[in-house]
Amino acid sequence: MPQFRPSGVGKPSQYSVRRKINEIKYDQFPWMLEVTKCAVQMAIIQLGQAFANSWKNPEHFKYPKYKKKYVSDSFTISNDHFQVKGSRIRIPKLGWVRMREPVV
């Protein structure tokens, strides 16, 4: 099933998405300034990889789909941006959060 793309618009990539978000985030998405930058950066990197995979091998990888809010919510941060103490984790700009399982 072909995907709709307006004429004159190239294939999105990690870099084009990043540029576009940096242009509009202060006006349209001010909440992005309240969360750790790693979550947003990793989401853009993963979206760029999903686009690249879908064009490189369309039989195996499908075009990326919108992820519904509150369904399997997750985000990624790098190893040097968090701390774990017992059954709590410290996330930048969010603070200490309880986990279900303590670290052994």
Side-chain angles (χ1 to χ4, degrees):
M1 178 165 142
Q3 296 296 321
F4 171 75
R5 190 169 6 135
S7 61
V9 176
K11 292 180 180 179
S13 68
Q14 170 188 339
Y15 307 106
S16 65
V17 171
R18 185 174 298 200
R19 276 193 302 270
K20 186 64 176 174
I21 287 201
N22 284 335
E23 288 175 11
I24 64 174
K25 73 179 173 184
Y26 296 103
D27 298 328
Q28 296 181 15
F29 305 108
W31 57 266
M32 289 177 71
L33 305 173
E34 298 172 7
V35 298
T36 178
K37 67 177 183 174
C38 296
V40 178
Q41 286 176 348
M42 289 305 294
I44 292 170
I45 289 169
Q46 291 167 351
L47 178 62
Q49 188 61 50
F51 278 128
N53 288 341
S54 71
W55 291 309
K56 193 179 292 184
N57 191 351
E59 295 84 29
H60 188 353
F61 297 101
K62 295 183 179 177
Y63 195 81
K65 292 182 179 179
Y66 178 75
K67 192 173 176 182
K68 285 189 175 183
K69 201 175 199 179
Y70 307 117
V71 177
S72 301
D73 285 342
S74 64
F75 67 95
T76 306
I77 57 176
S78 60
N79 287 340
D80 59 340
H81 285 89
F82 69 91
Q83 295 174 329
V84 177
K85 228 182 236 184
S87 62
R88 299 184 322 151
I89 184 170
R90 185 181 174 284
I91 300 171
K93 292 194 176 185
L94 189 58
W96 289 98
V97 179
R98 290 182 295 168
M99 297 188 301
R100 287 188 181 249
E101 297 180 14
V103 176
V104 185

